[in-house]
Every structure is written in structure tokens, then in C-alpha cells.
Amino acid sequence: MTIRQRFFLSAGLGLAVFGMVAHAATISLAMDFPTVIQQDFDVQVQVTDVFAGRDPGDALLAYGFNVTVGSGLVTYVGEDAGPLFTDFSASFGGNPAVAGISNSILGLSSGDFAEPLTLAILHFTANGLGATSIGVTYDPGDLNQGLFYLNSIEPISASRQIDVTPEPATFALAGLALAALCVAGVRRGRKA
């Protein structure tokens, strides 16, 4: 390979990386709080700035990512595709791998939805008390993962901390028991 060819290859790769960063959409994990032990909970994988800096004719075709769980405090149960996508997860094995394809054969354009756009709803069960993390990531070596546009593929990556708490009824019972002990102590003090 000549010096000139190396220069153009390096410049092309640099522009590709720069273009990927300049067009980065923001992935977030949204959920209702609190997360209570022995209950199911959902996490929405959402994206904002879907078309920021992109060509007006671009379209979002599909997505794919892996789900990560920080510890055994929560168990990943499954997923549903967002309302504008068809679940395509069964076609891919993996980590678990989650995938969806646009319901429109032409893909989604900027006028088809209001942000944030929900890609998928992930289902979990809380097994133990404490803090853990969940996340979504993509494997750059897996051609089925990322945000798939007409003109490019973008990485998907987000995580969040989750605190699994006891049921509110547990707190109420503990409060009642403490109140009963206080009343018993006051009565015992009066009899003495």
C-alpha cells in the first residue's frame, strides 16, 4: 500500500469516526420507581436526538443490542418492541440480544414520532434487596447490533443504577411492631 493510499484510508476512517460522533443519538433507560423486591418491573429503552445532524431524507430502520445485569438481584425476563417496531429478538441468539425492525418498510423519519422514541420495553423481576445496575450495549463485531439508519449504524449504550427496596407493607408492619412495643413499654411503666 502506498503512502497516498494509506493517507486516504486514514482520512476516510477519521471522517467515518467523526461522522459517527457528530450524529450520536442519546440512549436512556426510563422506569417507574421504586423497584420492590419480589415484583416485576419494566425499563423503557428510549432514544432522543434520533435525527440530529442527519440528512433530512435519512430514516431509522431497526435496532439491536444486548441487555446486561450487574448482579443476581434482578433477573431479565424478556422484552416487547416499542410501538413503532416489530420484535425481531427471536431471530438472534445471545446475551440476551434484543432487536426490532421498523413497522414501516421505509423506516421511521423525523415526522413519524415525538421524542423520546421508545425502542423496547425490557421486563425484569427483582429478586433481592440492594443496589445493582442494568444496561444496554452493542457489540461492534455483531452486524445485527446498533441503531440502523439508511446511511449508517450508530452504537447503543446506556446503563442505570437500580435500588431494590422492601415492600411498603414491610415498612408498615415494622412501624406497627415498633409502636406496639412503645405502647407496651408505657403501660408497663405506669403499672410500676
Side-chain angles (χ1 to χ4, degrees), residues 77-95:
V77 178
E79 76 287 324
D80 291 317
L84 299 178
F85 296 93
T86 299
D87 190 357
F88 211 58
S89 301
S91 300
F92 306 101
N95 183 22

Side-chain angles (χ1 to χ4, degrees), residues 15-190:
L15 286 174
V17 169
F18 175 76
M20 219 169 144
V21 171
H23 299 298
T26 303
I27 305 296
S28 62
L29 303 179
M31 60 182 287
D32 295 330
F33 289 98
T35 304
V36 178
I37 191 167
Q38 300 303 321
Q39 291 188 6
D40 296 337
F41 65 96
D42 294 335
V43 175
Q44 293 183 29
V45 180
Q46 298 179 325
V47 60
T48 53
D49 299 327
V50 179
F51 293 102
R54 293 192 161 280
D55 182 295
D58 206 354
L60 179 62
L61 304 173
Y63 65 85
F65 56 83
N66 293 324
V67 176
T68 60
V69 177
S71 70
L73 296 179
V74 297
T75 302
Y76 176 69
V77 178
E79 76 287 324
D80 291 317
L84 299 178
F85 296 93
T86 299
D87 190 357
F88 211 58
S89 301
S91 300
F92 306 101
N95 183 22
V98 176
I101 190 164
S102 168
N103 289 338
S104 168
I105 194 163
L106 301 175
L108 299 174
S109 63
S110 60
D112 292 338
F113 59 90
E115 290 190 4
L117 173 64
T118 300
L119 299 177
I121 299 108
L122 308 177
H123 308 294
F124 296 88
T125 299
N127 302 318
L129 297 174
T132 189
S133 65
I134 59 168
V136 295
T137 61
Y138 93 114
D139 177 359
D142 186 341
L143 297 178
N144 297 311
Q145 294 190 9
L147 286 174
F148 293 87
Y149 293 90
L150 282 174
N151 300 323
S152 65
I153 300 172
E154 283 193 21
I156 291 179
S157 180
S159 65
R160 74 171 300 139
Q161 281 293 118
I162 294 179
D163 293 314
V164 181
T165 62
E167 290 185 61
T170 304
F171 286 127
L173 286 174
L176 285 173
L178 184 59
L181 288 172
C182 289
V183 169
V186 169
R187 285 187 181 167
R188 183 175 291 159
R190 286 185 186 164

